[in-house]
């Protein structure tokens, strides 16, 4: 069954104006900059952010587009503004996703003999080709228990880390990539998942921006 996502990466149930202001500040935009790019007046945007004006459904979606708000969070903005969510999320195992799974499998096979994986937004393994499976051999059994977290598997000392020659550079690259993603999406669930994985125990850089 296809369901519309109404949860939020911010864990936020604030009024729509406050949420829009939070996203604008996260993007480091002034009201004038956002208003200009979205083709609305600065006065109206100010009224929306302070709750003095109720935005239309189209206005919510327009501002969210210019703020590059993730789709699941656009649903929350719509709900907070009194509108129904419009973006659906379908589990990968649903029958209607057969064509998607087939296409992903073709991409994975096309990468042979090089390793390739498909992961979800939490870095949990969805699928992998045969070459990637070879890289996972020898990892501790507890790291291969479903759901396999590829981030944890690749950086854990009992996983693939012991076979990575340039581990320091690889770890720094992955940590920075996750930090940038968390900063962009404000995805608290992703931040919690990566922090609890223990993968960054040997790095001095935190997963989450403060």
């Amino acid at each position: 069954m296809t369901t519309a996502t109404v949860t939020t990466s911010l864990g936020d149930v604030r009024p729509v104006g406050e949420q829009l202001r939070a996203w604008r500040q996260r993007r480091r935009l002034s009201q004038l900059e956002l208003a200009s790019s979205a083709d609305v007046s600065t006065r109206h945007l100010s009224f929306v952010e302070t709750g003095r004006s109720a935005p239309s459904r189209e206005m919510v979606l327009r501002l969210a587009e210019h703020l590059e708000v993730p789709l699941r969070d656009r649903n929350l903005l719509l709900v907070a503004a009194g509108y129904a969510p419009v973006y659906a999320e379908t589990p990968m195992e649903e029958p209607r996703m057969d064509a998607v799974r087939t296409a992903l499998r073709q991409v994975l096979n096309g990468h042979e003999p090089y390793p390739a994986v498909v992961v979800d937004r939490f870095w949990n393994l969805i699928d992998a080709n045969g070459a990637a499976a070879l890289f996972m051999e020898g990892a501790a059994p507890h790291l291969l228990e479903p759901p396999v977290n590829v981030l944890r598997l690749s950086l854990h000392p009992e996983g693939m880390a012991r076979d990575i020659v340039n581990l320091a550079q690889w770890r720094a690259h992955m940590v920075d990539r996750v930090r940038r993603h968390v900063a962009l999406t404000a995805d608290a669930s992703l931040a919690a998942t990566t922090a609890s994985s223990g993968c960054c125990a040997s790095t001095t850089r935190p997963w989450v921006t403060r």
Side-chain angles (χ1 to χ4, degrees):
M1 184 176 81
T2 300
T3 56
T5 304
V6 296
T7 55
T8 172
S9 13
L10 288 171
D12 201 342
V13 292
R14 292 177 295 172
V16 62
E18 293 186 20
Q19 293 184 48
L20 286 169
R21 181 171 61 242
W23 281 108
R24 177 177 60 77
Q25 293 172 340
R26 177 170 286 276
R27 299 294 181 254
R28 303 190 181 193
L29 293 173
S30 67
Q31 285 187 343
L32 178 59
E33 290 171 326
L34 176 57
S36 298
S37 65
D39 195 25
V40 300
S41 71
T42 305
R43 178 185 175 86
H44 183 55
L45 176 59
S46 176
F47 277 23
V48 168
E49 289 190 353
T50 58
R52 296 178 63 185
S53 178
S56 66
R57 177 178 176 275
E58 291 71 23
M59 178 60 68
V60 172
L61 292 175
R62 185 192 307 177
L63 292 173
E65 177 69 22
H66 284 274
L67 289 169
E68 299 182 344
V69 177
L71 298 186
R72 57 177 50 89
D73 290 291
R74 297 186 196 191
N75 274 341
L76 182 79
L77 289 171
L78 288 167
V79 171
Y83 305 107
V86 297
Y87 299 103
E89 181 174 341
T90 305
M92 184 63 76
E93 60 272 12
E94 287 288 320
R96 71 181 66 196
M97 298 296 285
D98 286 347
V100 175
R101 290 194 300 271
T102 298
L104 291 174
R105 171 45 56 180
Q106 290 176 343
V107 172
L108 290 173
N109 291 339
H111 274 74
E112 298 280 6
Y114 304 105
V117 296
V118 177
V119 298
D120 63 17
R121 68 189 180 104
F122 299 121
W123 292 84
N124 292 323
L125 183 66
I126 300 297
D127 201 356
N129 63 10
L134 291 175
F135 277 78
M136 300 177 193
E137 290 183 355
H142 68 91
L143 295 175
L144 299 176
E145 294 177 358
V148 177
N149 187 274
V150 174
L151 188 64
R152 183 168 184 250
L153 176 63
S154 66
L155 298 179
H156 197 285
E158 295 180 0
M160 297 166 58
R162 57 189 173 188
D163 297 320
I164 299 177
V165 176
N166 60 333
L167 179 60
Q169 293 89 341
W170 172 251
R171 181 186 295 277
H173 165 73
M174 294 305 295
V175 170
D176 282 343
R177 181 172 176 177
V178 172
R179 292 177 72 247
R180 287 196 302 271
H181 188 68
V182 171
L184 178 66
T185 64
D187 194 330
S189 298
L190 174 61
T193 299
T194 53
S196 64
S197 70
C199 293
C200 57
S202 64
T203 182
T204 58
R205 302 193 65 179
W207 289 109
V208 185
T209 55
R210 291 183 173 82

